[in-house]
Amino acid sequence: MRPDSGVGLDGGTNVLRVRLDISYDGTDFIGWARQPGLRTVQGVLEESLSKVFREPIQLTVAGRTDAGVHAEGQVAHFDIGTEPDAAKLIHRMARFLPKDVRIKDIRVVPAEFDARFSAIRRHYAYRLTTAPYGAEPLQARSVVACRHDVDLEAMREASRKLLGLHNFAAFCRRRDGATTVRELQRFDWERDGDLLIAYVSADAFCWSMVRSLVGAVLAVGEGRRTPDWVAALLNETERSSSVTVAPAHGLSLIAVDYPDDADLAARNAETREMRTVPTEGCCGD
C-alpha cells in the first residue's frame, strides 16, 4: 500500500516522497554535493532524474561523502507529483546513468521521511590490505595498502577507547556552526586473509571523521602511537595536526538505519537538536 502523500506548497497539490537506495564508485567524482562545473554524484543523479521526470529534481542525502569516497548503501529522497513505477524506473535509470553510479531501489515513503534527519545511524567500512604486493588490481580503487606487520589487537584496543558519546573535534575538519559531538557506536576490525576491514558506526559523522579515526588507529597498529594516545585525543577541542587522515578510496558508506514509520517525525526533531556531551554518566569508555 502506498504511504500517505504530503501537501504541496500551494496547499492543494499532493506530493509524493520517494526514497532512493544508491551505490557508487567515488573515484571519479568530486564527492556527493553538487558543485558547478564539477562531476559530483548529486549532480549526475539530479540531471538524469530531471530528464526522466521532465521536471527539476533535487535530492536530500543521508551522508555527503567526500571526493573519492564510495557508497554501497547511500540513501536519498526527493518529492514528485506522480507516483513512479519503481521497477521500470530502476531499469530506465540503469540506461541513463554512467556505470559508476546505480540506483538499486526506489519506493514511495511517508512524507515525514527525511534521508538526512530521519537517520538513526550510518555505517561505514574502511578496507586495507597487508599483502606485500599491495591491493589486488580489481580492488585498487577501494582498498588501501598498509604495512604487513600491523598489530591488530592494539588497533582493536585503541578503537574501543573511542566508543561512546564524545566531542570528536580532534578528528573533524572545522565547519562553522557545526557540532563535533557524536556517539560512536561501533569501531572494530575484521581480518580476512590479507584484507583488514574497519567497521565504523555512529548516529552521525562530522567532516573527515571516519578517515581520521582510521588514520589514528592505524598509527597504533604500525607502532608509531599507543592506544592511550588515541584516547587522549578526545580531550582536544580542535582538530589535531598529529592525526593523519587515511586515503579516501578505502572508505565506503555501506548502510543507513531508519526508525519505523511511526517514529520518523520524532526522530527528525531529535536530530535537529544540538548535541552536547553530558557532564557525568557518559556512555563511552
Side-chain angles (χ1 to χ4, degrees):
M1 181 178 294
R2 189 190 73 184
D4 292 338
S5 60
V7 178
L9 295 176
D10 61 2
T13 303
N14 286 336
V15 174
L16 297 171
R17 180 147 292 184
V18 178
R19 168 176 167 164
L20 305 177
D21 289 77
I22 305 161
S23 62
Y24 48 87
D25 176 344
T27 305
D28 298 324
F29 288 104
I30 310 298
W32 165 270
R34 185 194 318 109
Q35 299 182 55
L38 297 175
R39 188 174 191 263
T40 68
V41 183
Q42 182 180 14
V44 166
L45 283 168
E46 288 181 345
E47 180 180 0
S48 297
L49 287 165
S50 298
K51 288 179 180 177
V52 168
F53 284 100
R54 298 183 180 180
E55 63 178 274
I57 299 295
Q58 185 170 342
L59 297 175
T60 298
V61 73
R64 296 175 58 176
T65 51
D66 290 338
V69 175
H70 315 294
E72 300 155 60
Q74 180 70 278
V75 179
H77 80 257
F78 67 95
D79 295 331
I80 196 74
T82 57
E83 183 169 4
D85 183 322
K88 289 183 179 179
L89 185 56
I90 290 173
H91 183 69
R92 191 174 184 189
M93 293 307 299
R95 299 199 310 270
F96 264 81
L97 290 168
K99 293 182 179 180
D100 51 0
V101 58
R102 282 290 176 265
I103 296 176
K104 302 191 293 183
D105 191 31
I106 299 171
R107 61 186 183 272
V108 176
V109 291
E112 295 80 13
F113 177 86
D114 187 293
R116 178 186 176 191
F117 289 110
S118 300
I120 298 173
R121 66 187 60 84
R122 295 155 175 86
H123 305 276
Y124 282 87
Y126 195 95
R127 297 177 172 95
L128 298 150
T129 180
T130 59
Y133 50 81
E136 291 281 355
L138 290 178
Q139 299 176 333
R141 292 162 70 100
S142 60
V143 177
V144 174
C146 68
R147 282 173 43 175
H148 71 278
D149 58 345
V150 294
D151 186 338
L152 185 56
E153 290 309 311
M155 292 165 64
R156 287 171 170 159
E157 179 185 352
S159 298
R160 287 192 295 268
K161 291 178 178 292
L162 297 171
L163 294 174
L165 182 65
H166 305 289
N167 186 342
F168 286 92
F171 300 92
C172 298
R173 293 182 182 176
R174 179 180 174 81
R175 280 186 172 173
D176 291 340
T179 179
T180 52
V181 175
R182 297 289 187 267
E183 183 184 2
L184 187 61
Q185 300 167 354
R186 181 186 183 187
F187 190 8
D188 58 26
W189 296 79
E190 294 184 5
R191 180 188 285 277
D192 181 8
D194 293 324
L195 187 65
L196 289 180
I197 306 177
Y199 291 100
V200 190
S201 303
D203 56 343
F205 292 93
C206 48
W207 192 13
S208 83
M209 178 174 165
V210 180
R211 292 164 56 201
S212 296
L213 291 170
V214 170
V217 170
L218 188 58
V220 174
E222 293 175 344
R224 296 182 285 113
R225 298 287 187 176
T226 67
D228 287 339
W229 168 80
V230 170
L233 290 170
L234 294 174
N235 298 321
E236 301 289 334
T237 57
E238 295 182 352
R239 180 172 174 76
S240 175
S241 60
S242 62
V243 174
T244 299
V245 179
H249 70 277
L251 184 61
S252 181
L253 174 61
I254 59 174
V256 184
D257 294 341
Y258 293 95
D260 294 335
D261 290 351
D263 299 322
L264 288 170
R267 177 59 185 174
N268 294 343
E270 179 184 356
T271 304
R272 286 181 167 90
E273 294 179 358
M274 183 69 71
R275 295 175 178 86
T276 57
V277 176
T279 56
E280 59 182 356
C282 181
C283 51
D285 289 345

